[in-house]
Every structure is written in structure tokens, then in C-alpha cells.
Amino acid sequence: MGNIGACLLGLIYAISIWTFMQADQLTLKRPCMLRHEPHDYIADCRNRNLTDIPNGLPPNINALLLRNNILNITRLPAGLSRFSDLSHLDLSCNQLRVLQPRTFIHLNNLDTLNLEGNHLPLNNLAYPNATFRGLPNLRSLKINNNVKDQDLTSDMDYPSYVLSELSDLEELLIDGIPSGEFGEEFRSLGKLTNLTLSGRIGTCNIPDIRGDYFKNLKHLTYLNMTQCSISRIRRGALTNLHNITILDMSSNSRMDMNHVENISYGLQNSSVEILKLNSMVSEYETCIVISKLIAQYLHTTNLKELYLNDNYIVSAEMGVLSLLPKSLEVFSIRKSRLVYGTFFEQLYHLENVRIIDLSETIGSAFPITPGLTFSLPPKLEYFYCEDSTFRFAFENVNFTSNKLKMVSYRKNVITHWVGRVYGLNHVSELDLSENFCERIDDGCLLGFTHLKILRANSNYLGEFLRKDETGQAFAYSPTLQFLDLSLNRIQILPENVFRNLVSLNTLNLSKNSISNLEFKITHMTNLTFLDLSSNEISSLDHMFMSQLDLISKTSVLKVDLSDNPLICSCVTLYFIQWMTQRKGLFVNQHLYECSKDSGWLYKENVFEILLQLQQKCVSHFDLAMGMLVSITSVTCILIASILYRYRWKLRYLYYVARRHYRNVNLTQHGNGFEYNAFISYADEDRDFALHMFIQKLEREGNLRLCLHHRDFIPGEPIAANILSAIQKSQFVVIVLSPNFLDSYWCRYEFEMARMEGLYTERNMVVLVKYKEVLPKLVPRDLLYMMHTQTFLEYPQDTDDQDTFWTALKDAIEAP
């Protein structure tokens, strides 16, 4: 058995080795990826550990990418000679230490050559004569990041003779060396417009820029000398750069402000449009003030963008901003130490500036006086004051006429948004995120009449919004289209908190602690994205599902419910079924998992468990539905029986309470009642009631009667009039006839009189049988009264009628 096991292990090992060898051979056969793009046929051979250019590549490729290999220079020329159509060659990050004459001689169409990240020092050994011969169309050459700081020697120089053969060269990226000079040979590079000497993408160590440093580079339009360890720049060093349009000398923090003045001095007759002087002074410098000379030298230029970031500037001399060129559109002074004062008072001088960035700048806790007026540049559109420890809100502040569109106070400490502001009617985007805000005053946003985007995420508005039941926080923002309230510690949102946001199309409530969705969104007919991700939602109730269905009919709505503890159980079966049927409504569907409270469906995808959930719940569902129907039916029958049994009592109590609520006072007479009797009769017996009762009892008997045709109050409900008349009367006379039994309101009058008698403990019903009635048609309570109480019967014989009226009068007048 042991021998057999050893044989099997040996067989498996042999198969593994053979498979590996086959895979390795396959890799060697096809070491490069070929792909076609609209204007290029590319061979991508990067990261292959190649020592030579692979055989078998199509000769008609026009881009060859060989970055991150270990190519041998001795075999490079022969390998490249096959690709006469090559326009882009990337040999960056290889092990090239020297180049050979005519290395690229056959590449007549080469446009871009990248040699950065090799080991090619700037000397004649690495770049011998005729290195770049045969490249008449080369426009871009990158030989930066080839020299290390520790390898710098005094014999290094820029390869002028070698580069001078590139008559069409437009862009050059090269390491900056202390001993380097752009000699007379560079004059032949008449098309060289872009020069990069940057320590950010290579080595650059040029401590002293002499006055004639750029005399042979008069055609430059772009110069990047960032992070070049410059500590001194001569006053006239830049005067030869008449055509320069973009100059970036940032991150040369060994200078002082005098040398910054020398930069602006050299640009006063140039075509400069973008000037970047970020991080030009040491971080340990204090009280840096922008001098008038810097602005004065730039005054005659067409400068459009000026960047003075990270210079720890405290202020500016009076009149500095008014000296800056009127063409200036972008002014950035991030990461400074500005305080309110002279600098801010001068901002309005920047007449054509569209963008101002003062982020990471204001450290002052000086309060803003209510009623203050700020003068802004009239064409200002974007204002940034981010991450500036700004603590005070604008309270009743006026801004001069402007075109401001976007204001960002992100990442400050404005804990209470007070308002109001005036003069910002054009602002469409407001960023107040990450401010530790706990409260928004009523009317804070009133001045932003065209606000469309409000970023209020990463604050503490949860408790405040929980109490905002009328939606006052956003009451003045009907134009708002985007609202971000993520990360606000929200647990509950009232029903009407968003009632005024009728134009909203994006609502972000993610990363809160919301469990129940009680707020209304049906008025948001343009809503396209609702982000509820990363909350505590276990399911949606019928109301909110209906709202989403309603909005989906008018808008292409998308909802994100990912990263919520969704429960997948029989209780939430309807919700899971609804989600599955509307799968296209939800985004990030792979993140919808059943929570641990779902039991056996824990961590299952919500959209894939409907069938098994239905099978599990079907028996429980039938039983539950049967019990529910039975209980509901019994309950309905019981309630109906009780209501029918006590229908007259309930009506009586309702109208008694109604009269009490309306504070109706009964008119008191001698016996305590306004009327001696209320006469209840059918409309068909009106002649008998109106003529005989009025004649015999009112006129002859001097009694006060209440008859509904005459005494009911117009405009009052009939039921209310009936109870009022009964309560105002000492007795109720029932004129019983077949017509009386057919009348609903007569029956109602009898029942109300009976209820009044029960609750006031008085015998107040006097029954008069006017015409014969069938006992089977008489209501039970009325029939019982006829059998237990004496009633009067109206005689048909005229001789007995006087006795009847006398007896009725005596019954009504009885104490």
C-alpha cells in the first residue's frame, strides 16, 4: 500500500510540473496583449520581466508599452527596427544605463518617447552623440527620474548636442541639476514650449536660478519647476520668458518674499495667464504679508489664475488687491492665517474674479456683527471657505450685488445656523457639511431663493429634525433638488418634515439610525434617487411602499436599501414579495442580505429567497388568515349587534353631548320649561295637530306648545332640533296613528322622549291614540307603554271630544 501511495504522489507531482511548464510556455508565446483603439494599435508588454522585445509582434503596431521590464540596450535597436509605424514608445522603469547612437534610427514616425525611471545620468556616456538621430517627428520626450540626489555630480549637464537634433520637440521632462545649463544648442529647439523640471516626478535640485538661466528657451509657454529646492532666484531670471502662459514654481519653501517679488518682476512683460506660487515660504515663517510690489509687477499682465496656497499669509498691504490685473478670474489663497480686516475689506476690488478659495485659512474666532454688509466681487460665482475652524454664522448679514452660485463652508464649526442673509439670491449650491450643527433657525435659508443643492451631511441634526413636525427647517426651499442629510444621527423623521421640498430629485439619508419611515414623500413627484443605506430598517410598511409605487409612476425612481438589517420572515413576506416584484427599483442589490433576526435565512440575498420563504410560510399563512377572518367576522357581528341594540341611547347621548359642548342654555320659566308639551305627530296628521291642538290647548287652555312645523330653528339638524324641543318641554304628546308608525322621524321623537325620561327620571310621555293601529306594527317599547300606562284615545263622537281635551289638558298641567 505504501508503494502505491508513493506512486500516486509522484504522478500528481509530474502532472503539476507539466501543467506549469505548459502554462509558462504559453506565457512566453504570448507575452503581450494586443488591443485596438480608435486611432491606435497597441502592444501592451508591461510588467513581463522581458529582457528583449518579444518576437511575433505585428509590425504595424503604432504603440509599444514596455514599462517595468529589464530590457538590454545592446539588443534594443535591432528589436525596434521592425516597427516603422510606431508613434508611441514607452521604455520607462527598465534597467537602461546607457543609450547607443542611432538607437531609434528606424522610428521616423515616433511622436512620444518615454525613458523615465531608468538609470540614465545626464552625461555624454549615457547620451552619446546621435542618440536621438532619426526622430524628425518626435514631439514629447521624457527623461526625468533618471538621476538620484545621491548621484548628482558636477560634471552632469543637460545633453544639449543630443537634444538639438529634435527640431520638432515640443515637450521635455528632465531632471533638474545644480550644474545644468540650457546652452546655445537649445536655440535650435524652436518648437519647445513645455518644460518640466520637477522634484515631484523625478529629481530637481536647483538652489540658484541665475539671470541668464532661460535665455535660450524663449519659446516656452509652460514651465514647471515645482519642488526644485530653489532658495534664490535672480531678479531678471524670468524676463526672457515672454511667451510663458503657465508657470508653476510651487513647493520651493526655501525662499522668502523678496524672491517671490523677483518672480513677479520677471513676468511683468510676459503672456502669463496661470501663476502657481504655492508653498513658497517655510512653514515656520510668521506674519507673511502680501506686498504691493508682487501685485504691481503683475498689474500689466493678462493673468487669469493666481494661486498662493500654503504660504501662511496673515494679511495684505493696503491696495494690493486693487493692483492685481483686472483679467484675474481665479484667486486661491488656501492654508493661510488670514483674519478679518484689511484683506477681506479689499475683496471687492477683484472685479472680474469668478472663484475665490480661502479654505484652511480663517482661524479667527472674531464674531460677525449682525447687520454687517460684505462687499463681494461683482462677478464672483464660487466661494470656498472649507476646513477653516470658522465658528460664527451669518446673522442678518447683507452682501453687495454679486453673481455667487456656489458657497462652501464645509468642515467648519458652525454649530448653529442662524441666518438670515441677504443678497445671495443666485446661490444654487450650499455646502454646510461637517460643521457639528445641532440646530437650524426658522428662516435661515430664506435668503437662498434659488437654492438647488444643499449638503448638510456629517452634522448633528437628528434630534432637531425629530421635533420639526411642521417642516420649518426647509420651509423656504421649494426649489431644492438635492439634499444630503447623511451621517446626522437621525432616528425618527416626522411626517411633514419635508413637506415643502416639492422639487427634490435626490434625498440622501444614509448612515443614520432610522428604523421606521414615517415621513411623506408623495409630493416629491420628481424624486429619482432615495438613499436609505446603512440605517436600521428591517422592512417597509404599506404606507411607504405605496408612496414609492406612486412616485415610480411619474419618475424613474431608484432606492438604496443596502446595509440595512432586513428581516426575511413570514411576518415580512408581503414586503419581500413587493421588493422582488420591483427589483428594478433598487440599486446595489448584491448588498441586500437577510439579517440574523430572520432565523434560517440569515445572510441570504433578499431577492433570491421569495420562493423558499413562500413555501415555509404557506401553512402558517392559511391558518393565520383563517383565524383572522373568523375573529374579524365575530368582532364585526358583535359590534353591529351592540350598536343596533343601543342605537337610540347612543344617538341621545351624542346630541346631549353636542348641546353641552355648544353651551346651549334652556330658557327657564316658572315650571322650569319653555313649553308645556312637545307635540309629536306625522306630517299626514298635520291639520289635526296644528288646528285642534293650537285651538283647544293654546288658545282656550292657555298652554305653551312646541310644534316642529312652527317652532324648530331653521338651519339646525332635525335630530338636534328634536332633542332640544324635548328637553325644553315638560311633556311629549305622542299622536299615535298608522302615519306615525310609518314615519322615521316620529319614531325618532318617541325614542328620544323615552331616553330623556329615563335619564331625567320623569314620566314625560303622554300617549294619544288618534287612529286605530295594528298591534303587530307598533314598536316593542311603544306597545309595552300602551299595555302598562294609561293613554288617551281621541273620540270620533263630537260630544265626547270636549271631555278628551279637558283630560289631555289636565295630564299636561299635572305637576
Side-chain angles (χ1 to χ4, degrees), residues 4-15:
I4 295 175
C7 290
L8 287 174
L9 288 174
L11 180 61
I12 293 172
Y13 178 75
I15 293 173

Side-chain angles (χ1 to χ4, degrees), residues 476-488:
Y476 305 101
S477 305
T479 60
L480 202 62
Q481 297 178 3
F482 179 98
L483 175 60
D484 188 350
L485 290 172
S486 60
L487 281 166
N488 263 283

